Amino acid sequence: MLEIKNINVHFGVIHALKGISFTVNEGEIVTLIGANGAGKTTTLRTISGLKKLTSGNILFEGKDITHASAQERVKLGISQSPEGRRVFSSMTVLENLELGAFLRKDKKKISDDLKMVYEHFPILADRRKQAAGTLSGGEQQMLAIGRALMSRPRLLLLDEPSMGLAPLLVQEIFNIIKNINKTGTTILLVEQNASMALQVADRAYVMETGSIVLSGTGEELMQSEDIKKAYLGG
Amino acid sequence: MEQFFQQTINGISLGSIYALIALGYTMVYGIIKLINFAHSDVYMLGAYFGYVCMTSFKLGFLPSLLISMVLCTLIGVMIEKIAYKPLRNATRIAVLITAIGVSLFLEYVTMAIAGANVRSYPPQTGILDQSFNIGSINITMQQIIIVSITIILMVLLQFIVKKTRIGKAMRAVSLDSDAAELMGINVNTTISFTFAIGSALAGAAGIMVGIYYNSINPLMGMLPGLKAFVAAVFGGIGIIPGAMIGGYFIGIVEVLVSGYSNSMYRDGVVFAILILVLIIKPAGLLGKNTREKV
Ligand SMILES: Nc1ncnc2c1ncn2[C@@H]1O[C@H](COP(=O)(O)OP(=O)(O)OP(=O)(O)O)[C@@H](O)[C@H]1O
Ligand SMILES: [Mg+2]
């Protein structure tokens, strides 16, 4: 479904992505793990079209979207819940969710999807009139994911959905991610929390300073000694 | 007391003008964090467009108002496209200096075309020439029209910003342009639209000042522009209702100061207010005191 082919990305002289390639197949949960500054967020931003690449190609469902605008990518079905949530703080929860459906015109289906988001995240329904900035961190994370779902994505990019959340909530978020995947949405998940990510993921890629250094199924990587040492705390 | 009411009414008229200009400053700042110095010259051009409509084409006030607003919209969008858009990733100081350059450019091109002299709007006739008294307070029809048009435009603006798709896009981009892009919002279109609306309001202010004070000149934007900017800062830059309140506040204060003391103080007082605001509540009346995000 998504093919990343040898992409290079620079920030001025910083070579942030050094020719990385990977694929995400329809229906999968694929995770991208790695230390701080490895280039995970940059990868997702490049896929969403927020960051221009220097060379390489991005294919989505066989179509070359390397030079497509961010809007076109949303239209094609790529949606992202960005690092740090980035909800529109002074807007209400409902307004945030509606913005997620910005490019859609089918009112009926939008309201169906709103119900679907409220089913995944019942707390958002209670808080729908509240300003997003007044939500707790966990609720904001749910809102960011819900907002990304409102464009009806075929591929959902999640950047550190567990960041700053209490363990119980982390578990809950990961369960929801699994549920979203079961309803047919392919997921590319960036995580610091490697053990949780590897548990839910079908496949995983490990990034280190701008390169992919390891890949395999979630289980394989969980057994790997290197991974255990570097990311799973022994 | 009567003098106070009279001055307040005059202040509300002037404040309407400031509020309309301040809205453009605040919306553009809100969306691209730029103090658009050229904005006050769009206001000046609005006055000139109105002048041409009313003298050369002998149009009435309302058609002239609309034409002036449309032309200012085009100018505003063009300024953004030509001067600011190529600098989207440049440092803020580079954009600021460009804005000053655009401002000077508009002033001196106007001077080259229309001359540096003061020009007088044609004397208003009919309803625009009337006035009436309540007790000894005199209210002119022009004042009523200025205030009414301003209120209509503000209500319209609120409707656009709160209820329409593009208005929601404007708010989203001004809150977080990356996140807005992830929603599929076209950030460039949204920025253009913001310039369009701000410039239309400035155009309306320009022609209304023309009929109210009669005289216009290519540098007429400078002082009102600065005061409208103070108004925007006073209300909280980037905050639409703040610009409205700020505009009226500055207008009323200015007129009261010149009415009750020496009119030479009126500009000084406005800038004293700016300094006080920056010391006491830098984020402005309606602003939240947050540190600027990088
Ligand atoms: N806007 C930017 N300007 C300059 N350098 C940047 C920018 N954004 C990222 N980088 C650099 O690119 C590299 C990759 O950053 P990125 O944010 O993609 O890492 P990450 O894997 O998401 O890290 P984390 O786990 O901390 O979120 C880092 O060296 C970072 O300093
Ligand atoms: Mg990151």
Side-chain angles (χ1 to χ4, degrees), chain A residues 11 14 16 34-43 83 160 192:
Chain A
F11 292 99
I14 301 172
N36 291 113
K40 307 178 296 293
T41 297
T42 305
T43 306
E83 184 175 59
E160 303 210 24
Q192 293 269 343

Side-chain angles (χ1 to χ4, degrees), chain A residues 45 71 86 91 95 102, chain B residues 165 171 176 178 182-184:
Chain A
R45 287 175 62 85
Q71 296 84 257
R86 310 285 285 264
M91 294 180 160
E95 281 176 315
F102 188 77
Chain B
R165 201 173 123 85
R171 281 193 291 154
D176 187 332
D178 274 355
L182 287 177
M183 304 300 107

Side-chain angles (χ1 to χ4, degrees), chain B residues 206-223:
Chain B
I207 180 170
M208 292 201 292
V209 152
I211 59 161
Y212 193 46
Y213 291 117
N214 277 322
S215 80
I216 62 173
N217 72 76
L219 301 181
M220 65 182 273
M222 290 167 90
L223 208 49

Side-chain angles (χ1 to χ4, degrees), chain B residues 18 21-22 25 37 39-41 43 220-231 271:
Chain B
Y18 289 158
I21 308 175
Y25 276 117
F37 276 102
H39 185 60
S40 59
D41 300 295
Y43 151 80
M220 65 182 273
M222 290 167 90
L223 208 49
L226 273 174
K227 288 178 187 163
F229 174 66
V230 173
F271 295 108

Side-chain angles (χ1 to χ4, degrees), chain A residues 42-53 58 65-71 73-74 78 80 157, chain B residues 178 181-182:
Chain A
T42 305
T43 306
L44 292 196
R45 287 175 62 85
T46 310
I47 297 172
S48 279
L50 295 186
K51 175 72 193 153
K52 296 276 161 284
L53 37 70
I58 304 175
I65 58 161
T66 313
H67 302 290
S69 68
Q71 296 84 257
R73 297 179 202 215
V74 176
I78 302 177
Q80 182 180 158
L157 312 174
Chain B
D178 274 355
E181 227 176 324
L182 287 177

